[in-house]
Amino acid sequence: MNSKNAKIKKARIPSFLISFVPLWATLIGTVSFPSSASANWWAGSERSGSCTIPNRQTSFNCRYGPYRVVNGASQIGGFYVNPRERYGNNGTIPIEYRINGGGWVRRDLVLNSTSENYIDFGNGVRYFEFRFLRPESVDQRNDNSITYTFNYDLDR
């Protein structure tokens, strides 16, 4: 045997270690599993909508839902609404939401923000709905238009 073949034989993995290859592959795969893959499981693609907030003399109803558990999920984990005021003003806008047909809960959302408007639910949420309320700061003479993006996440 020449020296080249001898080096190759020495470099081979002993047969008893070969049985550990699937175990090592599993461990390496688990360690390198991206954290984003275990993040939120969204109910579909992000939705867009708009709502006109009329002057005080006009009735006002910008109500959305109910949104339900989909895709075999066990429950709804929470939702976000990112409102954008027509003129790009900063500030807040009030909404109310309710889960499983219960009472309405008020929350102020930050206008033109993408990170501060997530509402986290507890356990057992099968459906929810939300509605925009008229902000105190709305110009009394003119209609204001709110556009928004929205989605909700599911728990497996």
Side-chain angles (χ1 to χ4, degrees):
M1 181 175 347
N2 65 30
S3 65
K4 210 176 208 182
N5 287 341
K7 286 181 184 176
I8 291 173
K9 281 190 174 192
K10 285 181 184 176
R12 288 192 181 155
I13 299 172
S15 60
F16 74 93
L17 289 178
I18 300 234
S19 62
F20 290 108
V21 169
L23 174 66
W24 285 107
T26 302
L27 288 174
I28 291 169
T30 302
V31 171
S32 64
F33 186 75
S35 61
S36 62
S38 63
N40 294 342
W41 180 31
W42 298 105
S45 59
E46 185 173 66
R47 299 153 176 87
S48 297
S50 65
C51 177
T52 299
I53 302 171
N55 62 37
R56 292 263 181 223
Q57 291 75 34
T58 310
S59 65
F60 176 63
N61 184 14
C62 290
R63 184 171 167 177
Y64 305 95
Y67 298 99
R68 299 185 182 283
V69 171
V70 295
N71 300 331
S74 64
Q75 65 183 17
I76 298 171
F79 77 107
Y80 70 86
V81 178
N82 292 325
R84 287 169 173 64
E85 203 269 338
R86 176 172 53 181
Y87 302 110
N89 294 337
N90 291 325
T92 61
I93 183 170
I95 68 162
E96 287 182 333
Y97 67 92
R98 68 179 177 178
I99 55 177
N100 299 334
W104 291 97
V105 177
R106 184 186 164 118
R107 167 94 182 255
D108 287 335
L109 300 180
V110 178
L111 288 168
N112 306 311
S113 173
T114 57
S115 62
E116 300 178 57
N117 295 325
Y118 181 81
I119 297 170
D120 192 23
F121 294 147
N123 292 324
V125 177
R126 305 296 300 160
Y127 68 94
F128 75 99
E129 54 193 314
F130 70 94
R131 62 187 179 193
F132 286 98
L133 302 175
R134 188 188 326 269
E136 296 298 320
S137 62
V138 167
D139 186 337
Q140 300 296 312
R141 299 162 301 206
N142 299 321
D143 293 347
N144 283 356
S145 179
I146 297 288
T147 59
Y148 65 90
T149 55
F150 149 78
N151 209 345
Y152 63 102
D153 70 297
L154 304 166
D155 295 340
R156 295 177 193 250

